[in-house]
Amino acid sequence: MLFQSLNLSARPDLKGLNLKNPIHLFAFGLGSGLPKKAPGTWGTVAAIPVWLLLLQGVPTLPYLYVLIAGFAFGVMVCEYTSRDLGVHDHGGIVWDEWIGLWITYLWLPDGIGWLIYGFVLFRIFDILKPWPIQWLDKKVHGGFGIMIDDVLAGIFAFVLLQLTAALL
């Protein structure tokens, strides 16, 4: 397996993580959440090629179905993985970043500049967590809590991206 050579025992924060478990693997964004520094950013970067291959150009209704199913799936895998790690919202759990970015990319205008702009907007909202994102992050727990703040960051980034596109 791809991660067999990884020495997870050297990282006490990853005690309980088993990348052979598909639930953990998805919660960690297929391994993209493993870097110790900026795992959320790396996880978000990893969501881009998946979006390009699977979601770019998908009509709105099926795209929304993917987002809803991805959110529900995320609540489950994030809850399960968080419980196994013994840490609420471990930084390496990045499935929530994947869904948040894919929300941002709904109706994304064509061009690499828009793709980068959406990425930057999402990361800004995810990192700075303006109200009510920060409130949700602190008050809502479990898998739903892990997912909801990134969903809201994605919605904020989506709105700003769409407003920018409309003004230009």
Side-chain angles (χ1 to χ4, degrees):
M1 185 169 172
L2 181 63
F3 301 108
Q4 280 179 332
S5 64
L6 224 64
N7 184 7
L8 296 180
S9 62
R11 298 257 318 262
D13 63 312
L14 297 178
K15 185 181 180 200
L17 180 66
N18 176 5
L19 292 175
K20 291 180 184 176
N21 179 337
I23 292 173
H24 289 192
L25 188 62
F26 276 104
F28 268 69
L30 304 178
S32 63
L34 287 172
K36 200 165 191 167
K37 296 210 184 238
T41 299
W42 288 112
T44 306
V45 167
I48 294 171
V50 177
W51 179 85
L52 287 167
L53 290 171
L54 301 178
L55 291 172
Q56 183 181 29
V58 170
T60 301
L61 196 55
Y63 193 108
L64 291 174
Y65 289 149
V66 169
L67 291 178
I68 292 165
F71 175 80
F73 178 73
V75 168
M76 188 271 301
V77 301
C78 293
E79 171 73 28
Y80 183 90
T81 304
S82 179
R83 201 171 340 132
D84 286 353
L85 291 173
V87 179
H88 172 68
D89 204 358
H90 184 283
I93 296 175
V94 295
W95 182 260
D96 50 333
E97 271 82 4
W98 285 35
I99 298 301
L101 184 70
W102 295 349
I103 290 168
T104 303
Y105 283 174
L106 175 66
W107 303 333
L108 186 71
D110 288 334
I112 187 85
W114 289 108
L115 187 116
I116 293 168
Y117 181 57
F119 171 85
V120 169
L121 286 176
F122 173 70
R123 290 307 299 147
I124 287 170
F125 284 115
D126 189 31
I127 292 166
L128 296 181
K129 298 188 185 314
W131 189 92
I133 298 170
Q134 187 177 41
W135 183 86
L136 286 168
D137 188 46
K138 290 180 195 276
K139 299 290 184 186
V140 183
H141 301 287
F144 184 81
I146 293 170
M147 291 296 298
I148 196 64
D149 64 308
D150 289 85
V151 165
L152 202 51
I155 291 169
F156 281 24
F158 165 79
V159 169
L160 190 53
L161 188 145
Q162 294 302 316
L163 285 172
T164 303
L167 291 172
L168 297 177

